[in-house]
């Protein structure tokens, strides 16, 4: 049985004091829910503060990015070792990083390797663009992203995959539960081919792209979908809590 996971990607939002306010609002409700992993991913500057605020709770912490070198002359970058002292998860290969910061499959692969070396759990994001989806190339694109991101990696150390169709991110136009379930099933089959069936069955694969409290159940109800990576709705305590609560209730009923 895979433990469902809901992760909140706060992106480049919240000052330290706003992050404090948001965590204080979410913490009591989130902490009560035991059968779902709840991960919040604030900006780097708030990680230390949020770590303090969630201490003693069941809420887990993640970062939104890292650099693949351990230390050195890389002005402005944050290393896996720095993050490993603060958090458990790290989002890698988000489409916004691929698009605005030109992260290639090769860079994503180096980042995944670096995260695993530091014992961080990567939340590896993959997903197709609208034109690729419309051309019926979704499976080809995600298979290639999986291949390049995981090249040379034998031990996956709790790696999580987030399938995020780019056309659904921040657009309010989510995939349907059925579409997402089909592609996630395909991703799982690919993991079985690249590794083995046990690893594929154990791997948590999330859906991401305009998930809200109103549509979350549609995704969580699908057998292949193990949770969600939530952007915009994770910045509203009531929305995020509702997504986690619905996930808990749906998975408990199974
Ligand atoms: C994301 O940032 O990973 C995301 C899915 O954003 P949103 O939920 O806002 O579409």
């Amino acid at each position: 049985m895979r433990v469902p996971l809901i992760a909140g990607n706060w992106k480049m939002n919240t000052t330290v004091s706003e992050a404090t306010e948001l965590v204080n609002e979410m913490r009591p409700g989130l902490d009560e829910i035991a059968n779902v992993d709840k991960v919040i991913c604030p900006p780097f500057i708030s990680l230390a503060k949020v770590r303090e605020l969630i201490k003693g709770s069941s809420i887990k912490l993640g970062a939104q990015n890292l650099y693949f070198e351990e230390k050195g002359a890389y002005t402005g970058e944050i290393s896996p070792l720095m993050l490993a002292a603060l958090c458990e998860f790290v989002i890698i290969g988000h489409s916004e990083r691929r698009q605005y910061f030109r992260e290639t499959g090769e860079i994503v692969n180096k980042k995944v390797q670096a995260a695993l070396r530091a014992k961080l759990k990567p939340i590896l994001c993959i997903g197709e663009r609208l034109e690729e989806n419309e051309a019926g190339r979704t499976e080809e694109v995600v298979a290639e992203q999986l291949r390049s991101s995981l090249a040379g990696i034998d031990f996956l150390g709790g790696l999580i995959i987030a399938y995020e169709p780019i056309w659904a991110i921040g657009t309010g136009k989510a995939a349907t539960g059925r579409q997402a379930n089909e592609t996630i099933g395909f991703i799982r089959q690919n993991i079985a081919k690249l590794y083995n069936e046990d690893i594929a069955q154990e791997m948590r694969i999330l859906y991401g792209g305009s998930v809200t409290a109103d549509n979350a159940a549609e995704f969580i109800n699908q057998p292949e979908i193990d949770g969600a990576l939530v952007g915009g709705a994770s910045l509203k305590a009531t929305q995020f809590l509702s997504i986690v609560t619905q996930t808990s209730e749906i998975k408990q009923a199974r």
Side-chain angles (χ1 to χ4, degrees), residues 185-220:
F186 172 80
I187 291 168
R188 202 178 296 288
Q189 283 166 20
N190 254 260
I191 294 293
K193 278 191 210 150
L194 291 171
Y195 295 89
N196 62 49
E197 190 58 40
D198 287 350
I199 289 179
Q201 287 308 321
E202 276 167 23
M203 176 165 288
R204 289 185 288 184
I205 311 182
L206 317 178
Y207 167 75
S210 296
V211 174
T212 64
D214 292 335
N215 65 13
E218 180 180 348
F219 299 104
I220 304 303

Short mmCIF file of all heavy atoms in Angstrom, two decimals, residues 185-220:
data_model
loop_
_atom_site.label_atom_id
_atom_site.label_comp_id
_atom_site.label_asym_id
_atom_site.label_seq_id
_atom_site.Cartn_x
_atom_site.Cartn_y
_atom_site.Cartn_z
N GLY A 185 -0.33 5.61 -15.10
CA GLY A 185 -0.20 4.15 -15.29
C GLY A 185 0.92 3.85 -16.28
O GLY A 185 1.73 2.92 -16.06
N PHE A 186 1.00 4.65 -17.33
CA PHE A 186 2.06 4.48 -18.33
C PHE A 186 3.44 4.74 -17.70
O PHE A 186 4.41 4.02 -17.95
CB PHE A 186 1.80 5.42 -19.52
CG PHE A 186 2.92 5.46 -20.50
CD1 PHE A 186 3.06 4.46 -21.46
CD2 PHE A 186 3.87 6.48 -20.48
CE1 PHE A 186 4.12 4.47 -22.37
CE2 PHE A 186 4.93 6.51 -21.37
CZ PHE A 186 5.06 5.49 -22.31
N ILE A 187 3.51 5.78 -16.87
CA ILE A 187 4.78 6.11 -16.19
C ILE A 187 5.19 4.93 -15.29
O ILE A 187 6.35 4.52 -15.27
CB ILE A 187 4.63 7.42 -15.38
CG1 ILE A 187 4.48 8.61 -16.33
CG2 ILE A 187 5.81 7.63 -14.42
CD1 ILE A 187 4.05 9.91 -15.67
N ARG A 188 4.22 4.36 -14.61
CA ARG A 188 4.53 3.23 -13.72
C ARG A 188 5.06 2.04 -14.53
O ARG A 188 6.02 1.38 -14.12
CB ARG A 188 3.29 2.85 -12.90
CG ARG A 188 3.62 2.09 -11.62
CD ARG A 188 2.40 1.76 -10.79
NE ARG A 188 1.67 2.91 -10.27
CZ ARG A 188 2.10 3.71 -9.29
NH1 ARG A 188 3.26 3.48 -8.72
NH2 ARG A 188 1.37 4.73 -8.88
N GLN A 189 4.44 1.80 -15.69
CA GLN A 189 4.93 0.69 -16.53
C GLN A 189 6.38 0.95 -16.98
O GLN A 189 7.19 0.04 -17.07
CB GLN A 189 4.09 0.56 -17.80
CG GLN A 189 2.75 -0.11 -17.61
CD GLN A 189 1.85 0.10 -18.83
OE1 GLN A 189 2.33 0.42 -19.91
NE2 GLN A 189 0.55 -0.05 -18.63
N ASN A 190 6.66 2.23 -17.27
CA ASN A 190 8.01 2.59 -17.68
C ASN A 190 9.03 2.38 -16.57
O ASN A 190 10.15 1.98 -16.81
CB ASN A 190 8.03 4.06 -18.10
CG ASN A 190 8.12 4.19 -19.58
OD1 ASN A 190 9.19 4.42 -20.11
ND2 ASN A 190 7.01 3.96 -20.25
N ILE A 191 8.61 2.69 -15.35
CA ILE A 191 9.50 2.47 -14.19
C ILE A 191 9.76 0.97 -14.05
O ILE A 191 10.89 0.55 -13.77
CB ILE A 191 8.88 3.07 -12.89
CG1 ILE A 191 8.81 4.59 -13.00
CG2 ILE A 191 9.65 2.65 -11.65
CD1 ILE A 191 10.15 5.30 -13.03
N ALA A 192 8.73 0.17 -14.30
CA ALA A 192 8.91 -1.29 -14.22
C ALA A 192 9.92 -1.75 -15.27
O ALA A 192 10.75 -2.63 -15.01
CB ALA A 192 7.57 -2.00 -14.40
N LYS A 193 9.86 -1.13 -16.45
CA LYS A 193 10.81 -1.51 -17.51
C LYS A 193 12.23 -1.04 -17.16
O LYS A 193 13.21 -1.75 -17.38
CB LYS A 193 10.41 -0.86 -18.84
CG LYS A 193 9.33 -1.62 -19.57
CD LYS A 193 9.20 -1.07 -20.99
CE LYS A 193 7.77 -1.23 -21.46
NZ LYS A 193 7.34 -0.21 -22.40
N LEU A 194 12.34 0.18 -16.63
CA LEU A 194 13.67 0.72 -16.33
C LEU A 194 14.27 0.06 -15.09
O LEU A 194 15.48 -0.05 -14.97
CB LEU A 194 13.58 2.24 -16.07
CG LEU A 194 13.25 3.14 -17.27
CD1 LEU A 194 12.97 4.56 -16.82
CD2 LEU A 194 14.42 3.13 -18.26
N TYR A 195 13.40 -0.35 -14.15
CA TYR A 195 13.87 -0.96 -12.89
C TYR A 195 13.24 -2.34 -12.77
O TYR A 195 13.66 -3.26 -13.45
CB TYR A 195 13.55 -0.03 -11.70
CG TYR A 195 14.34 1.26 -11.81
CD1 TYR A 195 13.82 2.36 -12.50
CD2 TYR A 195 15.61 1.37 -11.31
CE1 TYR A 195 14.56 3.53 -12.65
CE2 TYR A 195 16.37 2.53 -11.45
CZ TYR A 195 15.84 3.60 -12.13
OH TYR A 195 16.57 4.75 -12.28
N ASN A 196 12.20 -2.45 -11.95
CA ASN A 196 11.47 -3.73 -11.91
C ASN A 196 10.06 -3.47 -11.38
O ASN A 196 9.74 -2.37 -10.93
CB ASN A 196 12.22 -4.79 -11.10
CG ASN A 196 12.40 -4.36 -9.65
OD1 ASN A 196 11.44 -3.94 -9.01
ND2 ASN A 196 13.61 -4.46 -9.14
N GLU A 197 9.25 -4.50 -11.40
CA GLU A 197 7.83 -4.35 -11.05
C GLU A 197 7.65 -3.93 -9.58
O GLU A 197 6.78 -3.12 -9.27
CB GLU A 197 7.13 -5.69 -11.35
CG GLU A 197 5.62 -5.66 -11.27
CD GLU A 197 4.95 -4.64 -12.21
OE1 GLU A 197 5.41 -4.47 -13.37
OE2 GLU A 197 3.98 -4.00 -11.76
N ASP A 198 8.50 -4.46 -8.69
CA ASP A 198 8.36 -4.09 -7.27
C ASP A 198 8.61 -2.61 -7.07
O ASP A 198 7.86 -1.93 -6.36
CB ASP A 198 9.36 -4.88 -6.40
CG ASP A 198 8.95 -6.33 -6.26
OD1 ASP A 198 7.82 -6.66 -6.66
OD2 ASP A 198 9.77 -7.13 -5.76
N ILE A 199 9.67 -2.12 -7.70
CA ILE A 199 9.99 -0.69 -7.56
C ILE A 199 8.85 0.14 -8.14
O ILE A 199 8.43 1.15 -7.56
CB ILE A 199 11.36 -0.38 -8.23
CG1 ILE A 199 12.47 -0.99 -7.38
CG2 ILE A 199 11.57 1.12 -8.43
CD1 ILE A 199 13.87 -0.81 -7.90
N ALA A 200 8.32 -0.28 -9.26
CA ALA A 200 7.21 0.46 -9.89
C ALA A 200 5.98 0.49 -8.99
O ALA A 200 5.31 1.52 -8.87
CB ALA A 200 6.87 -0.17 -11.24
N GLN A 201 5.70 -0.63 -8.34
CA GLN A 201 4.50 -0.70 -7.49
C GLN A 201 4.68 0.09 -6.20
O GLN A 201 3.71 0.57 -5.63
CB GLN A 201 4.14 -2.17 -7.17
CG GLN A 201 3.55 -2.93 -8.35
CD GLN A 201 2.37 -2.20 -9.01
OE1 GLN A 201 1.53 -1.61 -8.33
NE2 GLN A 201 2.33 -2.22 -10.33
N GLU A 202 5.93 0.23 -5.78
CA GLU A 202 6.18 0.99 -4.54
C GLU A 202 6.26 2.49 -4.78
O GLU A 202 6.10 3.28 -3.86
CB GLU A 202 7.53 0.56 -3.94
CG GLU A 202 7.45 -0.68 -3.10
CD GLU A 202 8.83 -1.23 -2.80
OE1 GLU A 202 9.83 -0.48 -2.85
OE2 GLU A 202 8.91 -2.45 -2.54
N MET A 203 6.55 2.88 -6.02
CA MET A 203 6.81 4.29 -6.29
C MET A 203 5.55 5.14 -6.21
O MET A 203 4.52 4.80 -6.78
CB MET A 203 7.42 4.44 -7.68
CG MET A 203 7.62 5.90 -8.02
SD MET A 203 8.69 6.08 -9.40
CE MET A 203 10.23 5.65 -8.68
N ARG A 204 5.68 6.26 -5.50
CA ARG A 204 4.53 7.16 -5.44
C ARG A 204 4.58 8.12 -6.63
O ARG A 204 5.61 8.74 -6.89
CB ARG A 204 4.53 7.93 -4.13
CG ARG A 204 4.16 6.98 -2.99
CD ARG A 204 4.03 7.68 -1.69
NE ARG A 204 5.30 8.09 -1.15
CZ ARG A 204 5.43 8.66 0.04
NH1 ARG A 204 4.36 8.90 0.78
NH2 ARG A 204 6.61 9.02 0.50
N ILE A 205 3.47 8.18 -7.35
CA ILE A 205 3.39 9.06 -8.52
C ILE A 205 2.19 9.99 -8.33
O ILE A 205 1.06 9.55 -8.12
CB ILE A 205 3.25 8.25 -9.84
CG1 ILE A 205 4.32 7.13 -9.91
CG2 ILE A 205 3.38 9.19 -11.04
CD1 ILE A 205 4.31 6.31 -11.18
N LEU A 206 2.49 11.27 -8.36
CA LEU A 206 1.49 12.30 -8.07
C LEU A 206 1.00 12.94 -9.36
O LEU A 206 1.70 12.92 -10.38
CB LEU A 206 2.10 13.41 -7.20
CG LEU A 206 3.02 13.00 -6.04
CD1 LEU A 206 3.55 14.26 -5.35
CD2 LEU A 206 2.27 12.12 -5.05
N TYR A 207 -0.17 13.55 -9.28
CA TYR A 207 -0.62 14.41 -10.39
C TYR A 207 -0.45 15.85 -9.94
O TYR A 207 -0.68 16.19 -8.77
CB TYR A 207 -2.11 14.16 -10.73
CG TYR A 207 -2.63 15.26 -11.62
CD1 TYR A 207 -2.27 15.31 -12.97
CD2 TYR A 207 -3.40 16.31 -11.11
CE1 TYR A 207 -2.68 16.37 -13.79
CE2 TYR A 207 -3.82 17.36 -11.91
CZ TYR A 207 -3.45 17.38 -13.25
OH TYR A 207 -3.84 18.43 -14.04
N GLY A 208 -0.06 16.73 -10.85
CA GLY A 208 0.00 18.17 -10.56
C GLY A 208 -0.49 18.96 -11.74
O GLY A 208 -0.23 18.59 -12.90
N GLY A 209 -1.17 20.07 -11.47
CA GLY A 209 -1.68 20.94 -12.52
C GLY A 209 -3.09 21.39 -12.18
O GLY A 209 -4.04 20.65 -12.39
N SER A 210 -3.17 22.60 -11.59
CA SER A 210 -4.47 23.21 -11.25
C SER A 210 -5.33 22.35 -10.33
O SER A 210 -6.55 22.31 -10.48
CB SER A 210 -5.23 23.58 -12.53
OG SER A 210 -4.52 24.58 -13.25
N VAL A 211 -4.69 21.66 -9.40
CA VAL A 211 -5.46 20.91 -8.39
C VAL A 211 -5.98 21.90 -7.35
O VAL A 211 -5.24 22.77 -6.87
CB VAL A 211 -4.59 19.83 -7.70
CG1 VAL A 211 -5.36 19.16 -6.56
CG2 VAL A 211 -4.14 18.78 -8.70
N THR A 212 -7.26 21.78 -7.03
CA THR A 212 -7.89 22.63 -6.02
C THR A 212 -8.73 21.74 -5.11
O THR A 212 -8.88 20.54 -5.37
CB THR A 212 -8.85 23.66 -6.68
OG1 THR A 212 -9.91 22.92 -7.30
CG2 THR A 212 -8.15 24.53 -7.70
N ALA A 213 -9.33 22.37 -4.10
CA ALA A 213 -10.21 21.61 -3.21
C ALA A 213 -11.43 21.09 -3.99
O ALA A 213 -12.02 20.08 -3.63
CB ALA A 213 -10.65 22.49 -2.05
N ASP A 214 -11.78 21.77 -5.07
CA ASP A 214 -12.97 21.36 -5.84
C ASP A 214 -12.73 20.16 -6.75
O ASP A 214 -13.65 19.42 -7.04
CB ASP A 214 -13.47 22.53 -6.71
CG ASP A 214 -14.03 23.65 -5.85
OD1 ASP A 214 -14.46 23.35 -4.71
OD2 ASP A 214 -14.01 24.80 -6.31
N ASN A 215 -11.51 19.99 -7.25
CA ASN A 215 -11.30 18.87 -8.19
C ASN A 215 -10.38 17.77 -7.64
O ASN A 215 -10.16 16.76 -8.30
CB ASN A 215 -10.77 19.38 -9.55
CG ASN A 215 -9.38 20.02 -9.44
OD1 ASN A 215 -8.70 19.86 -8.42
ND2 ASN A 215 -8.94 20.71 -10.48
N ALA A 216 -9.83 17.97 -6.43
CA ALA A 216 -8.83 17.02 -5.92
C ALA A 216 -9.36 15.59 -5.88
O ALA A 216 -8.66 14.64 -6.26
CB ALA A 216 -8.37 17.44 -4.52
N ALA A 217 -10.61 15.41 -5.47
CA ALA A 217 -11.16 14.06 -5.31
C ALA A 217 -11.14 13.28 -6.62
O ALA A 217 -10.92 12.07 -6.64
CB ALA A 217 -12.58 14.14 -4.76
N GLU A 218 -11.35 14.00 -7.73
CA GLU A 218 -11.34 13.35 -9.05
C GLU A 218 -10.00 12.65 -9.31
O GLU A 218 -9.97 11.57 -9.91
CB GLU A 218 -11.60 14.43 -10.12
CG GLU A 218 -11.62 13.86 -11.51
CD GLU A 218 -11.87 14.91 -12.59
OE1 GLU A 218 -12.26 16.05 -12.27
OE2 GLU A 218 -11.64 14.57 -13.77
N PHE A 219 -8.93 13.25 -8.82
CA PHE A 219 -7.60 12.65 -9.04
C PHE A 219 -7.31 11.57 -7.99
O PHE A 219 -6.82 10.49 -8.31
CB PHE A 219 -6.52 13.75 -9.02
CG PHE A 219 -6.74 14.76 -10.11
CD1 PHE A 219 -7.26 16.01 -9.83
CD2 PHE A 219 -6.47 14.43 -11.43
CE1 PHE A 219 -7.51 16.92 -10.85
CE2 PHE A 219 -6.72 15.32 -12.45
CZ PHE A 219 -7.24 16.58 -12.16
N ILE A 220 -7.62 11.91 -6.76
CA ILE A 220 -7.27 11.00 -5.67
C ILE A 220 -8.04 9.69 -5.78
O ILE A 220 -7.58 8.65 -5.34
CB ILE A 220 -7.51 11.69 -4.30
CG1 ILE A 220 -6.74 13.00 -4.20
CG2 ILE A 220 -7.15 10.78 -3.14
CD1 ILE A 220 -5.24 12.91 -4.41
#
